[in-house]
Amino acid sequence: MLDRCFGARRIRQIQRTFRHGKITILCLFLTVLVLRGYLGAGKFGTPEQDFKEIKDHLHFRKRAEPHRVLEEAQTTTTETTENNNNNNNYGTFDPTKIAVDEEGDDEKPDPNKPYSLGPKISDWDEQRTKWLADNPNFPNFIAPNKPRVLLVTGSSPKPCENPIGDHYLLKSIKNKIDYCRLHAIEIFYNMALLDAEMAGFWAKLPLIRKLLLSHPEIEFLWWMDSDAMFTDMAFEVPWERYKDHNFVMHGWKEMIYDEKNWIGLNTGSFLLRNCQWSLDMLDAWSPMGPKGKIRDDAGKILTRELKGRPVFEADDQSAMVYLLITQRDKWGDKVYLENAYYLHGYWGILVDKYEEMIENYHPGLGDHRWPLVTHFVGCKPCGKFGDYSVERCLKQMDRAFNFGDNQILQIYGFTHKSLASRRVKRIRNDTSNPLEVKDELGLLHPSFKAVKVPASS
Amino acid sequence: MLDRCFGARRIRQIQRTFRHGKITILCLFLTVLVLRGYLGAGKFGTPEQDFKEIKDHLHFRKRAEPHRVLEEAQTTTTETTENNNNNNNYGTFDPTKIAVDEEGDDEKPDPNKPYSLGPKISDWDEQRTKWLADNPNFPNFIAPNKPRVLLVTGSSPKPCENPIGDHYLLKSIKNKIDYCRLHAIEIFYNMALLDAEMAGFWAKLPLIRKLLLSHPEIEFLWWMDSDAMFTDMAFEVPWERYKDHNFVMHGWKEMIYDEKNWIGLNTGSFLLRNCQWSLDMLDAWSPMGPKGKIRDDAGKILTRELKGRPVFEADDQSAMVYLLITQRDKWGDKVYLENAYYLHGYWGILVDKYEEMIENYHPGLGDHRWPLVTHFVGCKPCGKFGDYSVERCLKQMDRAFNFGDNQILQIYGFTHKSLASRRVKRIRNDTSNPLEVKDELGLLHPSFKAVKVPASS
């Protein structure tokens, strides 16, 4: 009897254990699903996506100092995965779903037609000269030796994949607003992709052409990347130095023409004169830009021809190096490769020296002692993966911002508590005679801002 | 035997069921914990915090149209919870931990000393007049009937609690850059808390005073909130209208002086002349500002005295209403309550009409037909909870931005595909005679930008 009891009992025991076990397992499985649901989607993507991003990330690591990574802050192509913006949720809402972006609506470029930035213009100098003569109230020089300059920058109209990226874009434009206010330079902040074929870093070309042609009163257009910041608020560009040149980039002749080095110059911060030569230059520069096969194939040529260039699609900087080395006779004489001051300053070799600079030097030098521009190439705060550690990038961007901001704050008697701190402290007490304050850096009423006093006033 | 089997078996059955049940319950409990862990911390806070926020939220709902909610985008007090910024992680990194913000380092204000914005100045008009005479190259009028204007705005130096907030701050400053470039207005973007006592919406007072006193060349200072956008790029403020006034705010006399309504005016967008009267006004305005007991107690007075005001600490707008109604004789004659155009336009009654406006009107009107400013009071995209639905706020902010941006883009032959779309399309083909383009809105070379042609040029 007992044997029969145990036998049947054992069977029911097993059955019961199995039933309860199923519930337990189901419950544990649900827990895992929930965890994966929160960790998996949105933040880390699918495993397939992970692999691709890691691969891309490793790709960019294979570079010698100094680095240069694609400036993709302007990418607004339809390929960008909208779903990756889940982290930008304001509450539980996905803002990327507000905008109605109808895919496939772009005009499809005619594959048989070579790319063109626009209708050919051959008499721009004449057109412009006439316009300036007819419009004396929009002069191209706002003071003796002071050309009218438009600083052009921008970023994607989409929220950054990395939410913190938009905060750094905001600080970056504030930084530019400050410098430009002191130096009587106007700003154009672009958030529109004017030509779908020229997306990404190439987007600046159609934009620049459009602005030059629309604004004949502009003498120089100053393109500046969104990841570049002004760190010398007192330095005025030596415009006179470039009176015989049309295109000023930071770079070294030897690195371009002798070494054919892909980072022999930098197109993250450059000056372009508003003239026929520049329109022709833009036309000559653009052919490697159209996305897809053209850009990919061009990238291979550039990697083959230029020293140190990794494998990736054609970028505007490499294309410029290639243009100069292959057509030096045509363009070289009007291109000024500037390295006496940091029109572009690679952040890696500058940011650790700010305290030393403060100790030993002063604003107004613009060079290695006090760089005009600190450019965070490779950091990509707007994207997901940069080429450097996140912590280092963001920390140094804060320091660079504060380093520049201190020069503004000191005008008003304040400074950041430290280069790492957002907070400010007073360094000069207010008085009842504010106009007697010594303007140490000459930034309160800078000479480069002064209007020309009319002769008969 | 069988009975004994069943009896013991039943007991063991029950025990086993209980054991398995315990595991099942534990497992379900863990699942709930995990869900709560992801939904609860950071996003929704503790239950206690939830209650408080719901209470505050309900409080702000008790209002008649139009609404006005605290502008807290500038809050940088030490009370702000740094930990709430976990959503801003760039990867897994918490950027709020980079900045070294040493708490408790602020100078503690003397409780026995009444608050002061700075040393008393009584001869500012004289100081300023002398300075202007000595500095003719920094005139306070840049053209006949065109005063030199500085537009002042800003936001917290910290990343927004809501990551998407920084993206909207970025769009907002681009919008202001565009308007100000067209209208020859300079911009000061503030990210520094100059006076810890006057944090939050009061932070603008010490800032404004500092800027007025540092820049005697400024004739008008235009304060504008970060959640206000320009939606009429062609409208020029009628400066001559205010030649006998020093302070221009959008509002209605009756709502202020008769109704004592707390939203009878709006301090999110106003003009303040650089003169002694304005310094005195700032001094008279500031006493309700110092945070803590003063501000809390003042809030109670304001709620009691003003119609429709909810219970919360004193804000600068309510304080201004109170100042005007209690000291009308002193200040009233120099305050212009403007309602002929939307120097401030409450978004709730404007944003659904953009298509109608495009259909029936044109830029340059500045009023209900084409508002100069659309102000997103109550949306608080930078904070966690606004007073309106997230979806509506962000969607409408995008529409307002695009509505304004279209006026810029049309200069260059482009427009947004729709008011909801980030993407742009061409509306005018390029030609080889770009200078013959018809400048429909007169924004390409606006008359308000033209420099005065010297008599002997």
Side-chain angles (χ1 to χ4, degrees):
Chain A
M1 185 61 128
L2 207 53
D3 291 329
R4 212 172 59 240
C5 278
F6 279 134
R9 192 173 66 224
R10 183 164 279 280
I11 289 167
R12 278 192 292 274
Q13 177 184 341
I14 292 167
Q15 284 175 336
R16 213 172 292 122
T17 303
F18 189 60
R19 269 201 310 272
H20 284 124
K22 271 200 297 190
I23 294 172
T24 307
I25 288 166
L26 176 66
C27 172
L28 281 171
F29 179 64
L30 281 174
T31 306
V32 169
L33 268 191
V34 164
L35 279 174
R36 174 66 177 165
Y38 273 89
L39 296 176
K43 262 197 188 177
F44 300 154
T46 63
E48 186 188 293
Q49 197 171 336
D50 286 349
F51 178 72
K52 183 184 180 305
E53 282 175 328
I54 289 167
K55 200 166 69 134
D56 289 344
H57 182 71
L58 286 173
H59 239 153
F60 285 120
R61 283 275 176 217
K62 295 184 196 155
R63 264 200 319 287
E65 294 281 350
H67 299 94
R68 198 257 176 195
V69 181
L70 297 177
E71 176 53 57
E72 289 196 53
Q74 292 212 89
T75 301
T76 55
T77 62
T78 52
E79 293 105 55
T80 308
T81 331
E82 301 246 19
N83 289 338
N84 282 345
N85 284 336
N86 282 346
N87 277 348
N88 294 346
N89 282 1
Y90 176 11
T92 53
F93 183 69
D94 180 4
T96 64
K97 296 203 163 50
I98 311 172
V100 173
D101 284 338
E102 293 144 19
E103 303 240 354
D105 241 15
D106 286 328
E107 306 153 18
K108 294 277 179 285
D110 182 348
N112 297 322
K113 214 171 137 187
Y115 178 79
S116 166
L117 282 171
K120 180 75 183 154
I121 297 175
S122 307
D123 62 342
W124 178 237
D125 289 339
E126 292 76 12
Q127 288 192 41
R128 187 170 175 253
T129 302
K130 180 178 187 308
W131 189 93
L132 286 169
D134 292 343
N135 292 274
N137 45 358
F138 284 91
N140 56 329
F141 275 76
I142 61 178
N145 296 332
K146 175 80 173 161
R148 184 190 298 270
V149 180
L150 180 70
L151 186 133
V152 182
T153 186
S155 56
S156 169
K158 292 184 183 170
C160 288
E161 282 190 59
N162 261 309
I164 200 62
D166 281 302
H167 182 67
Y168 284 89
L169 287 171
L170 183 68
K171 290 177 79 166
S172 183
I173 188 54
K174 169 198 157 53
N175 167 276
K176 294 178 173 80
I177 288 171
D178 285 331
Y179 180 89
C180 291
R181 184 180 62 251
L182 265 48
H183 292 264
I185 292 173
E186 293 186 295
I187 297 174
F188 188 95
Y189 195 99
N190 185 55
M191 277 176 144
L193 179 61
L194 303 188
D195 185 338
E197 278 194 273
M198 299 290 266
F201 21 66
W202 289 96
K204 62 172 79 75
L205 266 64
L207 173 68
I208 290 172
R209 185 178 194 270
K210 169 62 72 176
L211 289 170
L212 290 177
L213 294 179
S214 302
H215 295 285
E217 72 275 19
I218 293 168
E219 183 60 27
F220 268 108
L221 189 147
W222 187 342
W223 167 265
M224 201 158 156
D225 281 356
S226 59
D227 59 358
M229 281 202 267
F230 283 105
T231 36
D232 190 337
M233 293 294 177
F235 184 85
E236 172 78 358
V237 166
W239 304 106
E240 276 297 287
R241 185 179 301 177
Y242 313 126
K243 59 180 171 23
D244 298 323
H245 296 82
N246 296 329
F247 197 178
V248 185
M249 287 173 281
H250 187 272
W252 300 266
K253 269 190 172 171
E254 304 72 30
M255 274 185 85
I256 305 283
Y257 297 116
D258 300 339
E259 279 186 48
K260 304 189 192 338
N261 197 315
W262 80 298
I263 46 169
L265 52 75
N266 189 284
T267 52
S269 172
F270 61 80
L271 310 170
L272 190 67
R273 191 183 295 277
N274 194 351
C275 59
Q276 182 64 48
W277 182 99
S278 297
L279 297 184
D280 298 339
M281 162 55 83
L282 290 168
D283 283 340
W285 193 0
S286 62
M288 288 186 163
K291 70 182 188 199
K293 189 175 193 309
I294 294 176
R295 197 187 290 189
D296 293 339
D297 290 349
K300 292 170 188 156
I301 294 171
L302 295 171
T303 300
R304 190 186 68 220
E305 298 293 322
L306 303 180
K307 178 183 176 189
R309 188 183 192 273
V311 174
F312 65 104
E313 55 178 15
D315 63 296
D316 61 302
Q317 179 172 297
S318 307
M320 177 51 59
V321 176
Y322 186 73
L323 182 63
L324 292 184
I325 63 182
T326 52
Q327 300 183 37
R328 184 176 188 175
D329 293 344
K330 185 165 184 188
W331 308 105
D333 64 325
K334 293 293 186 186
V335 173
Y336 196 109
L337 290 165
E338 176 67 90
N339 47 62
Y341 65 92
Y342 279 122
L343 180 60
H344 140 86
Y346 169 62
W347 69 283
I349 58 172
L350 296 171
V351 294
D352 296 307
K353 299 189 179 143
Y354 288 143
E355 280 81 4
E356 200 182 301
M357 295 174 188
I358 293 168
E359 181 74 28
N360 298 311
Y361 301 114
H362 55 82
L365 303 172
D367 57 18
H368 64 282
R369 298 168 295 173
W370 204 283
L372 172 63
V373 171
T374 301
H375 185 189
F376 287 87
V377 281
C379 277
K380 296 208 257 188
C382 195
K384 262 203 198 157
F385 291 99
D387 197 56
Y388 303 95
S389 102
V390 166
E391 187 171 350
R392 177 151 168 83
C393 272
L394 298 188
K395 182 174 174 178
Q396 296 307 326
M397 286 170 75
D398 282 331
R399 281 165 49 79
F401 173 86
N402 289 344
F403 183 81
D405 198 34
N406 278 348
Q407 297 164 52
I408 301 298
L409 291 172
Q410 66 79 35
I411 300 173
Y412 307 105
F414 289 84
T415 193
H416 283 269
K417 292 192 169 199
S418 77
L419 286 187
S421 175
R422 297 178 188 117
R423 286 161 57 154
V424 303
K425 64 181 182 187
R426 192 181 276 283
I427 52 172
R428 194 174 62 235
N429 284 329
D430 286 338
T431 73
S432 50
N433 294 296
L435 299 175
E436 289 169 16
V437 161
K438 192 162 167 321
D439 180 16
E440 307 239 351
L441 296 180
L443 295 182
L444 193 48
H445 299 102
S447 56
F448 11 86
K449 269 192 86 168
V451 304
K452 181 178 170 190
V453 182
S456 56
S457 52
Chain B
M1 187 66 128
L2 206 54
D3 290 329
R4 211 170 61 238
C5 279
F6 279 136
R9 190 174 67 224
R10 179 163 281 279
I11 288 165
R12 279 191 293 274
Q13 174 184 344
I14 290 166
Q15 285 174 337
R16 212 171 295 121
T17 304
F18 190 61
R19 269 200 311 272
H20 284 125
K22 272 200 296 188
I23 294 171
T24 307
I25 287 166
L26 176 66
C27 172
L28 281 170
F29 180 64
L30 282 173
T31 306
V32 169
L33 268 191
V34 163
L35 279 172
R36 175 66 176 161
Y38 273 88
L39 296 176
K43 270 191 182 176
F44 300 155
T46 63
E48 187 188 292
Q49 197 172 334
D50 285 347
F51 177 74
K52 182 182 179 306
E53 283 174 326
I54 288 168
K55 201 166 67 129
D56 290 345
H57 184 73
L58 286 173
H59 241 149
F60 285 119
R61 282 277 177 217
K62 294 184 197 157
R63 264 199 319 286
E65 295 280 351
H67 299 92
R68 196 254 177 198
V69 180
L70 296 178
E71 175 54 56
E72 290 196 53
Q74 290 213 91
T75 302
T76 55
T77 61
T78 53
E79 294 103 55
T80 310
T81 331
E82 302 245 19
N83 289 337
N84 283 343
N85 284 335
N86 281 347
N87 278 347
N88 294 344
N89 281 2
Y90 177 12
T92 53
F93 183 71
D94 181 2
T96 64
K97 296 203 166 51
I98 312 174
V100 174
D101 283 337
E102 293 143 18
E103 304 241 354
D105 240 16
D106 285 327
E107 307 153 16
K108 294 277 178 280
D110 182 348
N112 296 323
K113 212 171 140 190
Y115 178 79
S116 166
L117 282 171
K120 179 75 183 154
I121 298 175
S122 307
D123 62 343
W124 178 237
D125 290 338
E126 292 76 12
Q127 287 193 42
R128 188 170 175 254
T129 301
K130 181 178 186 311
W131 189 92
L132 287 169
D134 292 345
N135 292 272
N137 46 357
F138 285 91
N140 56 327
F141 276 76
I142 61 177
N145 296 331
K146 175 80 173 163
R148 186 190 297 271
V149 181
L150 180 70
L151 187 134
V152 183
T153 185
S155 56
S156 168
K158 293 182 182 170
C160 288
E161 283 190 57
N162 259 309
I164 201 62
D166 280 303
H167 181 67
Y168 284 88
L169 287 172
L170 183 68
K171 290 178 78 167
S172 183
I173 188 55
K174 170 199 155 55
N175 167 276
K176 293 178 174 78
I177 289 171
D178 284 331
Y179 180 90
C180 291
R181 183 180 62 251
L182 264 47
H183 293 263
I185 291 173
E186 292 187 296
I187 297 175
F188 188 95
Y189 196 98
N190 185 54
M191 276 174 142
L193 180 62
L194 304 188
D195 186 335
E197 277 193 274
M198 300 290 265
F201 21 67
W202 289 96
K204 62 172 80 74
L205 266 65
L207 173 67
I208 290 172
R209 185 178 194 269
K210 170 61 72 177
L211 290 170
L212 291 176
L213 295 179
S214 303
H215 295 285
E217 70 276 18
I218 292 168
E219 183 61 25
F220 268 109
L221 189 148
W222 187 343
W223 168 265
M224 200 158 155
D225 280 356
S226 59
D227 58 357
M229 280 202 268
F230 284 105
T231 34
D232 190 340
M233 293 294 178
F235 184 85
E236 173 77 358
V237 165
W239 304 105
E240 277 297 287
R241 186 180 301 178
Y242 313 126
K243 59 179 168 32
D244 297 325
H245 295 82
N246 297 328
F247 197 178
V248 185
M249 287 172 281
H250 186 272
W252 300 267
K253 267 190 175 170
E254 304 72 28
M255 273 185 85
I256 305 281
Y257 297 116
D258 301 339
E259 280 186 47
K260 303 186 185 353
N261 196 315
W262 81 298
I263 47 170
L265 53 76
N266 189 282
T267 51
S269 173
F270 62 81
L271 310 170
L272 191 67
R273 192 185 293 279
N274 193 351
C275 58
Q276 181 64 49
W277 182 99
S278 298
L279 297 183
D280 297 339
M281 161 56 83
L282 290 168
D283 283 340
W285 193 2
S286 62
M288 287 186 163
K291 72 182 185 198
K293 189 175 193 310
I294 294 176
R295 200 188 287 189
D296 293 339
D297 289 351
K300 293 172 187 151
I301 294 171
L302 295 171
T303 300
R304 189 185 69 221
E305 297 293 322
L306 303 179
K307 179 183 175 189
R309 188 184 192 273
V311 174
F312 65 106
E313 55 177 16
D315 63 296
D316 61 301
Q317 179 172 298
S318 306
M320 177 51 59
V321 177
Y322 187 72
L323 182 64
L324 292 183
I325 64 184
T326 52
Q327 300 183 36
R328 184 176 190 176
D329 292 343
K330 184 164 184 189
W331 308 104
D333 63 325
K334 293 294 186 184
V335 173
Y336 196 109
L337 291 166
E338 177 67 89
N339 47 62
Y341 65 92
Y342 279 123
L343 179 60
H344 139 87
Y346 168 61
W347 68 282
I349 57 172
L350 296 171
V351 295
D352 297 306
K353 300 190 179 141
Y354 288 143
E355 281 81 3
E356 199 183 302
M357 293 173 189
I358 293 168
E359 181 75 27
N360 298 312
Y361 302 113
H362 55 81
L365 303 172
D367 57 18
H368 64 282
R369 299 168 295 173
W370 203 283
L372 172 64
V373 172
T374 301
H375 186 188
F376 287 87
V377 280
C379 276
K380 295 206 255 186
C382 194
K384 261 203 199 160
F385 291 98
D387 196 56
Y388 303 95
S389 100
V390 168
E391 185 170 355
R392 176 151 170 83
C393 272
L394 298 187
K395 182 175 176 177
Q396 296 307 326
M397 287 169 75
D398 281 331
R399 281 165 49 78
F401 173 85
N402 288 344
F403 183 80
D405 198 35
N406 278 347
Q407 296 163 54
I408 301 297
L409 291 172
Q410 66 79 34
I411 300 173
Y412 306 106
F414 289 84
T415 193
H416 283 268
K417 292 192 169 201
S418 76
L419 285 187
S421 174
R422 296 180 189 115
R423 287 160 55 155
V424 304
K425 65 181 180 186
R426 192 179 275 282
I427 53 172
R428 195 175 62 235
N429 284 329
D430 288 337
T431 75
S432 50
N433 294 298
L435 298 175
E436 288 168 18
V437 160
K438 192 160 165 324
D439 180 17
E440 306 238 353
L441 297 181
L443 295 182
L444 193 48
H445 299 103
S447 55
F448 11 87
K449 268 192 87 169
V451 304
K452 181 180 171 186
V453 182
S456 59
S457 52

